[in-house]
Amino acid sequence: MNRSSWAKLCLVAFVLFAVVSVPLGRSADKIKIAKEKQLVLDWLSQPQILEKFGKIADAIWSYAELGLQEFKSSELLAATLEQAGFKVERGLAGMPTCFVASYGSGKPVIGLLGEFDALPMLSQKGRVPKQDPLVEGAPGHGCGHNTMCTAAAAAAIAVKEAMDKYGLKGTIKVFGSPAEEIVASRPHMIRAGLFNDIDAVIDNHSASGFGTGYGRNGNALFSVIFTFKGKTAHGASAWAGRSALDAVEIMDVATNFLREHLDPAYRLHYVVIEGGEAPNVVPDRASVWYYVRNSDEKIEEMYERVLNCAKAGALASGTELLPPRFIAAVHQQHSNKAAAELFQKNIELIGMPHWTEEEQAFAKALQKELKAKEDGLPSKVDQLRGPGSVFVGGGSSDVGDVTLVAPTATIRFPGQVPGAIGHHWSTVAANYGSTAWKGLNAGAKAIAASAIDLLTKPDELKKLRTEFEEYIKNNPYKPFLPADAKPPLDINEALMNKYRPLLEKHQIDLK
Ligand SMILES: [Zn+2]
């Protein structure tokens, strides 16, 4: 048979397959959905439920609270879970905004992670497709965390409904996790024993697509503040002083030379957070905040080299380097394949939300403003993602540490606009209103359906556990966070005190 005959035959076979299999496939899926899973999907499909959690996400978006300052956001979620019958423990692991909400009893224990913090400098009006701050300079939800613990809470309450109706055994827990943007909470939560009895964890993140993945990804991260102590003097007789700002600048020059000699998957970035207040006063104190990122194997060595640059800055400027302050230190993410495969089936079952013309028009207007491809919002879910064949490094999350204490994978749910930039005003604009509501609702369905699978199918849970036990034999959990590090409760206090009163004028009141 020649090539074109083969092609024709294949086309005929494909058309026949498509015609026959689509209706059969759908009815087969319907039959296969367990009654417990059907209940959570039906419960979450109610318009008043979509609206209730959509409004919670919009309210948290309007609070725009930075890490460890999420007092209103955390309380709104904790109270919502408490009102639904969950037992809520607040102020855990040394963090006032950390909570765990539990329902049910005994094994298995399924954990849902939930984040709610914002990012500095990103304030933006919702659903306005050009940069237009709500409050100039204020924080904004540039990573979609307003929708994330909200999705976990909606999912957990749906699961509780199924547990009540069908007498399911086990426990569902929502981990209200502060300060993910500074990757600061999870190592402390693990240290406090909050994950000790957890059999599996369903993590989630806002995205433009709907999908999940497995394997090792992202970078480990050490977040450290280096502070130098010098000697002050009049700026016009500066020979009497020793400038702490000089030490910071020399350190930064040294680390920028270091880049050439680092493994290419590294990341290294910093901001000067304290550098004097007037040129005519020699600064006797200056601080620089570094993010040092690399693989789990290479990060400690890289940190030592950055620390040497700090010591060089102190030596050259005649100042003193104070003990470095660890804000956070986290592992790479090691996501569980069996978990991701299970979550993927539920993502495919639920499918992408239907977007209206108005929602597509907003997405395209934003894409146009960003000079991105103007193809609107996606209509199909993503395929299951494996690890890349070459490790190129990337972002970091304190979820990394959780993946080493329990089998974990992340469900990425839609709502954001493809082409919108993470940690940027464009994501703040897109993560508000109807697309965010529908996206988090779809995410909640995938989380709840997966939790039902893990509660009702011991064989599925066993697959996750077996893979996990095998993996940690070679990758045992040893926290990078120094034993004496405390949650950095003060880190965002001044910024939030400055902007909270200004943001309050624009806050959404749920009553
Ligand atoms: Zn994020």
Side-chain angles (χ1 to χ4, degrees):
M1 205 180 281
N2 66 30
R3 261 185 167 191
S4 73
S5 309
W6 259 115
K8 273 180 207 153
L9 188 67
C10 289
L11 184 67
V12 170
F14 174 76
V15 170
L16 273 175
F17 173 78
V19 167
V20 173
S21 70
V22 169
L24 278 184
R26 279 193 189 146
S27 61
D29 276 349
K30 264 220 153 32
I31 294 161
K32 266 190 265 162
I33 300 176
K35 59 184 186 308
E36 299 90 343
K37 193 181 283 188
Q38 194 62 56
L39 187 148
V40 297
L41 299 181
D42 291 346
W43 192 84
L44 287 162
S45 293
Q46 301 172 88
Q48 73 274 21
I49 295 298
L50 181 130
E51 185 183 338
K52 175 181 169 146
F53 290 94
K55 283 186 170 169
I56 290 175
D58 283 356
I60 295 172
W61 180 95
S62 77
Y63 305 157
E65 292 173 307
L66 296 168
L68 297 165
Q69 297 291 314
E70 318 96 326
F71 302 110
K72 288 186 80 159
S73 310
S74 163
E75 182 49 35
L76 175 57
L77 293 158
T80 300
L81 286 153
E82 204 164 48
Q83 280 154 18
F86 281 67
K87 180 175 125 277
V88 179
E89 295 168 277
R90 294 172 169 83
L92 300 176
M95 295 173 279
T97 54
C98 174
F99 71 85
V100 176
S102 313
Y103 189 80
S105 62
K107 287 277 189 179
V109 185
I110 308 303
L112 312 182
L113 299 183
E115 300 163 10
F116 35 70
D117 61 324
L119 284 153
M121 306 190 294
L122 299 182
S123 180
Q124 165 68 24
K125 289 178 184 152
R127 306 196 72 70
V128 173
K130 62 177 176 42
Q131 187 169 17
D132 188 2
L134 202 58
V135 175
E136 187 78 45
H141 269 285
C143 202
H145 293 194
N146 57 310
T147 57
M148 287 161 50
C149 195
T150 313
I157 298 169
V159 170
K160 176 213 169 247
E161 295 289 319
M163 291 170 91
D164 287 349
K165 170 129 193 217
Y166 296 113
L168 304 184
K169 288 206 187 79
T171 309
I172 186 102
K173 288 193 177 190
V174 177
F175 288 87
S177 312
E180 194 282 336
E181 295 298 0
I182 51 168
V183 299
S185 67
R186 258 66 77 116
H188 292 288
M189 292 164 76
I190 294 169
R191 189 166 280 169
L194 303 186
F195 289 91
N196 284 358
D197 62 347
I198 299 295
D199 293 298
V201 170
I202 307 172
D203 177 42
N204 71 81
H205 206 290
S206 156
S208 54
F210 196 7
T212 184
Y214 62 90
R216 200 203 280 223
N217 59 52
N219 267 326
L221 164 62
F222 286 8
S223 164
V224 185
I225 296 176
F226 299 93
T227 299
F228 299 88
K229 177 100 189 71
K231 196 172 149 209
T232 191
H234 192 303
S237 6
W239 51 85
R242 296 290 179 270
S243 168
L245 179 61
D246 289 356
V248 165
E249 291 193 65
I250 294 164
M251 175 185 179
D252 294 344
V253 168
T255 58
N256 285 320
F257 273 104
L258 181 66
R259 291 179 190 278
E260 189 183 358
H261 308 287
L262 293 169
D263 177 87
Y266 83 94
R267 302 286 190 280
L268 184 64
H269 26 266
Y270 57 83
V271 286
V272 177
I273 52 173
E274 199 180 8
E277 286 172 20
N280 58 356
V281 179
V282 172
D284 62 350
R285 201 182 147 90
S287 301
V288 57
W289 184 5
Y290 265 80
Y291 274 20
V292 179
R293 312 195 203 220
N294 213 319
S295 64
D296 280 357
E297 289 80 9
K298 295 195 171 139
I299 193 160
E300 286 166 302
E301 187 209 336
M302 179 175 162
Y303 174 70
E304 283 304 312
R305 295 171 77 184
V306 170
L307 180 61
N308 281 339
C309 296
K311 289 176 183 168
L315 186 64
S317 61
T319 61
E320 183 194 349
L321 171 65
L322 300 182
R325 180 181 178 198
F326 270 75
I327 300 302
V330 298
H331 282 267
Q332 289 177 277
Q333 272 178 259
H334 303 249
S335 299
N336 187 280
K337 188 177 179 195
E341 285 171 347
L342 180 76
F343 301 172
Q344 180 71 20
K345 282 186 201 146
N346 287 314
I347 289 165
E348 286 171 9
L349 172 71
I350 290 146
M352 201 48 115
H354 173 73
W355 310 113
T356 63
E357 269 177 41
E358 184 277 323
E359 289 162 349
Q360 289 289 12
F362 165 74
K364 286 179 186 165
L366 188 63
Q367 287 164 336
K368 187 172 184 196
E369 175 72 13
L370 297 167
K371 299 185 173 55
K373 207 166 149 203
E374 290 170 49
D375 51 4
L377 297 160
S379 58
K380 287 198 183 98
V381 304
D382 299 337
Q383 291 189 330
L384 182 64
R385 279 190 205 164
S389 51
V390 180
F391 174 60
V392 293
S396 315
S397 171
D398 56 359
V399 174
D401 284 43
V402 178
T403 64
L404 291 170
V405 297
T408 305
T410 303
I411 292 174
R412 285 176 283 104
F413 63 79
Q416 297 192 24
V417 172
I421 303 160
H423 296 201
H424 185 266
W425 65 262
S426 55
T427 295
V428 188
N431 244 310
Y432 176 83
S434 64
T435 44
W437 292 22
K438 287 185 197 173
L440 87 87
N441 187 265
K445 285 178 181 165
I447 298 165
S450 302
I452 290 289
D453 283 336
L454 293 170
L455 286 168
T456 57
K457 297 179 180 169
D459 291 349
E460 287 292 340
L461 179 59
K462 200 167 170 223
K463 276 192 226 164
L464 274 64
R465 294 292 321 172
T466 308
E467 179 190 327
F468 173 73
E469 309 288 352
E470 197 56 40
Y471 192 75
I472 53 164
K473 269 187 210 156
N474 299 320
N475 300 273
Y477 178 57
K478 181 180 157 287
F480 283 135
L481 189 72
D484 59 354
K486 299 263 183 306
L489 300 183
D490 59 322
I491 194 92
N492 286 315
E493 201 177 357
L495 259 185
M496 211 60 232
N497 286 348
K498 177 175 171 188
Y499 288 112
R500 198 184 293 279
L502 302 169
L503 283 164
E504 262 162 16
K505 294 179 193 135
H506 303 275
Q507 274 176 8
I508 294 168
D509 189 357
L510 285 182
K511 282 170 199 116

